[in-house]
Amino acid sequence: MQAYLRSWRQSAITRGQLETACFVSDKLLALTNSEEDAFALAQTYFAAGNYTRALSFLSKSDSAQTSPAARYLAAHCYVKQNKHEEALDLLGEKNPVHLVTTSDSARRKLQHLSNGLSSKQHGKSKLPSRTERADRSEERDREDASNIKYEAGMCYLRGVCYAKQNSFDRAKECYKDAVRIDVQCFEAFDQLMKNSLMSPGEEWDFLESLNFDSIQPDPGDPNNAPEAADFTRNLYITRLSKYARPDDFNTAIETLSTHYHLGSNPDVLLSKAEILFTSSRYAPALAITSEILEADPYNFACMPLHLALLHQLNHTNALFALSHDLADTHPHEPCTWLAVGTYYLSTNRIPEARSYFSKASLMDPHFGPAWIGFAHTFAAEGEGDQAIAAYSTAARLFQGTHLPQLFLGMQEIALGNLTIAREYLTTAYNLCDRDPLLINEIGVVAYMEDDYTSAVRHFLLALSIAEDNEAPPQQNVSTRLNLAHALRRAGRFHEALEQFDEVIRLGLRESGVFASKGLVLLELEQPFDATVSLHEALAISPQDPIATDLLTKSLTLLESEGVLGGADEEAVDVGLRNRLAEVRQQAMNQSNAPRQQRRVIRQQEEDEEGGDGMDLDGTSDPRRS
């Protein structure tokens, strides 16, 4: 009968018939009254969402204190009920660090068991005794494999509780210990990556420290262990920040796509889209996220990136349709109201956008995109102080990403606080040194501090990184314009002129660009070309005072100088004079030709009249008579 009930319970759980599973588990416990069946009933209640009933069964026995599995389940029930203090009381504050493994499995680490105090701290110089230390590898080997996984799960729950209390440093350490103990504890690894608790460099160092060789896929086939370790490592690589070691990313994605045929998997596709996004290649990134959402319309892991791309490319109609769909189907998801806020931000309806970003952040206080969008609304209205407060909150919540620090620096630049701006930007640079936008902002600070050599160097570095990322040139036209201005202020006018021409070629046809180009041409003593450029500036903005003043100056210079200038104009003048002389000579020749013709005709008439009877003395001429 017991075997029959256990089989019935398992088949009900497999079919998702949790009420049936609870009914059968209750009868099985009545028959056996065993700790194992009590724990199974508690698990069934937990799966059905009856957390209080699950706790009541676990509390009837001492298993919650003696069994790692029961303690983990009881703490998980407390967490689900948002009773984080009770969960921490049950879990304790210390992680089982003696179960931690590293990538160097041959290395033995000794653990001091004196509450972290060494003998030197007590003023004595003695070696720890044999009883004061333990070999971590041996201690781990003595633990049951299932208990190790439950211990890792409890580390993860400690991290969740600390995160809810805004103790992010302690939460980060708990998550890291959970993954070190059980490298397959993906929940803890995902919290580290999703909440940006580590910088890109720290993420890679942490990944390298993990012991993937501890994975045992099938006890009956140990030969699969190396392949399973490599497969898991490549999967974890796709979750890391995309601002560091892009070659390793591409290798991992290529391996997963070709060897394991995961090229169309949503997580692998999302990693490709994130790489394109960080490289400012927005159109192909949007094509990938659209492909993901076409196969899975409510993939909320992909949604924030998809919304950012739609906003960046100004696809307001798509934002409108997506926001309405999410509001109808998932009103309790923070990402839904992030989509609505993004739509209003794209249509420049800032107050409405702020209210929906705020709603998303209230639903999930650790939802990073909502905090960033909330701060953007203040920045869009020029409310610098409120924007700085919101960005500071985001920087406190997400310590591993450089974006809040970058936005704080940009706000301080707008307020003219260059010293504070440089501090924020330096902090962001220490977190990520491969973001062209960040390096551009550092160059802007140098430019405003009149350090034009440093500004030129930073602008060139930003453009070089963007070129390495294969970003479209149009995405970095602002950085190139900044470079042109820095070269102009540094007195490198020929280089500045080349950059201004490139900016115009890339499509940035603004009055200020043509006016700046005209100013450079004036510095190069080319007033005619400067006049042409300034006329183009005034055609775009007829009331531009700077272009008007520069045009007046340029025309003044043209008054004392020929249009062509120098030897070219002299050669033209000589040619014009020669041509004029030729025209006059031709005119004179044409005017003299009729007179000569009349003379010839008159002479012929006189000859015909005189003939042989010509009167030589003229008496026969009537005009003389």
Side-chain angles (χ1 to χ4, degrees):
M1 184 57 66
Q2 296 175 12
Y4 162 68
L5 291 176
R6 288 191 176 95
S7 175
W8 186 2
R9 178 187 64 193
Q10 186 58 43
S11 63
I13 292 175
T14 302
R15 294 191 302 271
Q17 298 173 349
L18 298 178
E19 289 297 328
T20 301
C22 292
F23 174 78
V24 175
S25 297
D26 178 67
K27 306 307 175 288
L28 182 60
L29 178 62
L31 287 176
T32 62
N33 198 27
S34 67
E35 294 287 343
E36 180 183 352
D37 289 324
F39 179 70
L41 178 57
Q43 283 185 313
T44 307
Y45 282 137
F46 179 86
N50 298 325
Y51 308 122
T52 305
R53 296 187 70 182
L55 274 172
S56 68
F57 276 94
L58 292 171
S59 62
K60 289 179 181 179
S61 64
D62 296 333
S63 61
Q65 299 296 331
T66 59
S67 170
R71 188 151 58 103
Y72 168 78
L73 182 60
H76 208 170
C77 290
Y78 280 126
V79 170
K80 288 294 185 180
Q81 298 176 86
N82 291 322
K83 297 180 179 179
H84 302 106
E85 290 291 343
E86 291 85 346
L88 276 177
D89 291 339
L90 179 60
L91 292 168
E93 296 185 355
K94 292 185 177 180
N95 295 326
V97 293
H98 61 279
L99 300 178
V100 170
T101 62
T102 62
S103 58
D104 186 2
S105 58
R107 184 174 61 227
R108 302 282 183 160
K109 289 189 175 180
L110 298 179
Q111 175 193 15
H112 296 275
L113 303 179
S114 57
N115 294 328
L117 296 177
S118 67
S119 57
K120 290 185 178 181
Q121 288 174 298
H122 293 289
K124 300 179 181 180
S125 178
K126 70 172 185 177
L127 294 175
S129 65
R130 186 181 301 272
T131 59
E132 290 176 330
R133 65 187 183 181
D135 192 318
R136 292 185 179 181
S137 299
E138 292 179 357
E139 289 191 26
R140 180 183 173 90
D141 292 340
R142 289 195 295 267
E143 288 284 346
D144 184 77
S146 61
N147 288 343
I148 290 176
K149 292 187 178 296
Y150 282 118
E151 290 289 353
M154 285 189 279
C155 289
Y156 162 70
L157 292 180
R158 287 189 193 95
V160 172
C161 294
Y162 286 132
K164 293 295 183 180
Q165 297 175 349
N166 291 333
S167 299
F168 297 107
D169 290 335
R170 302 184 71 175
K172 178 174 71 173
E173 292 305 318
C174 290
Y175 293 144
K176 292 171 70 174
D177 284 341
V179 185
R180 289 187 182 119
I181 293 171
D182 178 19
V183 75
Q184 293 173 289
C185 186
F186 176 75
E187 287 87 349
F189 184 82
D190 188 50
Q191 288 294 322
L192 288 169
M193 302 302 116
K194 183 172 63 176
N195 294 320
S196 300
L197 295 179
M198 296 185 292
S199 67
E202 290 176 336
E203 290 178 359
W204 276 100
D205 292 340
F206 176 68
L207 182 77
E208 297 294 341
S209 71
L210 297 179
N211 184 15
F212 291 97
D213 294 333
S214 63
I215 297 175
Q216 297 295 331
D218 185 0
D221 188 8
N223 295 328
N224 287 336
E227 183 180 6
D230 184 66
F231 178 76
T232 306
R233 185 178 186 276
N234 286 329
L235 285 178
Y236 279 16
I237 285 176
T238 63
R239 308 289 294 191
L240 302 183
S241 172
K242 306 305 183 293
Y243 283 101
R245 299 170 66 169
D247 293 338
D248 292 329
F249 274 110
N250 294 330
T251 301
I253 291 175
E254 183 68 21
T255 301
L256 293 172
S257 300
T258 57
H259 188 66
Y260 298 104
H261 307 290
L262 293 178
S264 58
N265 180 264
D267 287 335
V268 176
L269 289 176
L270 180 59
S271 297
K272 293 180 180 179
E274 288 173 345
I275 293 175
L276 293 172
F277 179 76
T278 56
S279 302
S280 299
R281 298 159 66 182
Y282 302 126
L286 180 61
I288 294 178
T289 57
S290 300
E291 179 183 349
I292 295 172
L293 293 178
E294 184 178 355
D296 182 7
Y298 305 110
N299 187 328
F300 288 102
C302 174
M303 201 67 70
L305 177 60
H306 185 68
L307 294 173
L309 290 167
L310 291 176
H311 172 71
Q312 187 71 33
L313 297 174
N314 200 28
H315 292 183
T316 54
N317 292 335
L319 277 171
F320 179 81
L322 180 59
S323 301
H324 266 279
D325 182 30
L326 292 175
D328 292 338
T329 57
H330 295 81
H332 301 295
E333 281 288 338
C335 207
T336 295
W337 308 111
L338 173 70
V340 177
T342 304
Y343 166 72
Y344 282 121
L345 182 63
S346 297
T347 55
N348 204 31
R349 297 167 64 178
I350 305 303
E352 294 90 340
R354 183 180 301 127
S355 65
Y356 285 108
F357 285 137
S358 177
K359 183 175 182 178
S361 64
L362 290 174
M363 294 178 70
D364 182 3
H366 301 110
F367 190 34
W371 281 105
I372 296 296
F374 182 68
H376 281 347
T377 59
F378 289 112
E381 290 184 335
E383 299 290 342
D385 294 337
Q386 289 87 340
I388 288 173
Y391 286 133
S392 298
T393 302
R396 179 173 57 83
L397 294 175
F398 314 104
Q399 303 173 7
T401 177
H402 70 291
L403 294 178
Q405 303 288 345
L406 168 61
F407 296 140
L408 281 167
M410 294 171 70
Q411 285 301 306
E412 295 293 350
I413 291 175
L415 295 174
N417 302 325
L418 300 183
T419 302
I420 301 176
R422 182 173 288 279
E423 291 178 1
Y424 282 129
L425 295 176
T426 301
T427 302
Y429 184 81
N430 292 333
L431 293 173
C432 175
D433 59 356
R434 297 288 299 174
D435 187 354
L437 177 59
L438 169 60
I439 298 173
N440 173 75
E441 295 302 318
I442 297 176
V444 170
V445 173
Y447 179 90
M448 297 179 70
E449 291 176 341
D450 298 334
D451 188 358
Y452 304 121
T453 302
S454 176
V456 169
R457 185 171 65 253
H458 282 95
F459 294 142
L460 287 173
L461 177 59
L463 292 173
S464 175
I465 294 175
E467 184 178 355
D468 293 341
N469 292 336
E470 299 180 359
Q474 292 79 5
Q475 297 292 343
N476 300 282
V477 65
S478 298
T479 302
R480 192 170 296 278
L481 179 59
N482 291 339
L483 173 62
H485 284 298
L487 290 169
R488 175 179 61 82
R489 295 297 298 272
R492 297 159 63 175
F493 299 117
H494 290 285
E495 298 174 70
L497 182 60
E498 292 178 1
Q499 296 301 327
F500 280 122
D501 288 336
E502 181 67 15
V503 167
I504 295 171
R505 189 189 67 81
L506 291 174
L508 188 61
R509 303 182 65 84
E510 296 179 354
S511 174
V513 176
F514 285 104
S516 299
K517 178 183 176 181
L519 178 58
V520 171
L521 290 169
L522 286 175
E523 295 288 350
L524 292 174
E525 298 181 355
Q526 299 179 25
F528 179 77
D529 294 334
T531 302
V532 174
S533 180
L534 294 169
H535 272 298
E536 293 190 39
L538 291 172
I540 298 171
S541 177
Q543 304 300 324
D544 188 340
I546 297 178
T548 302
D549 292 342
L550 291 175
L551 180 60
T552 302
K553 180 179 179 180
S554 179
L555 292 174
T556 302
L557 293 175
L558 283 177
E559 291 179 355
S560 58
E561 183 176 343
V563 175
L564 298 176
D568 292 337
E569 184 170 357
E570 183 177 353
V572 171
D573 288 343
V574 171
L576 289 174
R577 284 196 293 269
N578 293 337
R579 179 59 180 165
L580 180 60
E582 293 176 0
V583 171
R584 288 177 176 174
Q585 184 64 37
Q586 291 177 359
M588 292 177 62
N589 293 338
Q590 291 176 359
S591 62
N592 291 333
R595 294 178 184 177
Q596 294 176 355
Q597 185 176 6
R598 285 196 298 269
R599 288 181 188 148
V600 171
I601 293 173
R602 187 177 297 116
Q603 184 65 40
Q604 289 177 351
E605 291 177 350
E606 291 177 353
D607 293 341
E608 290 176 356
E609 291 177 357
D612 295 336
M614 181 183 300
D615 188 3
L616 296 177
D617 58 4
T619 56
S620 62
D621 187 355
R623 289 174 295 182
R624 296 181 181 179
S625 60

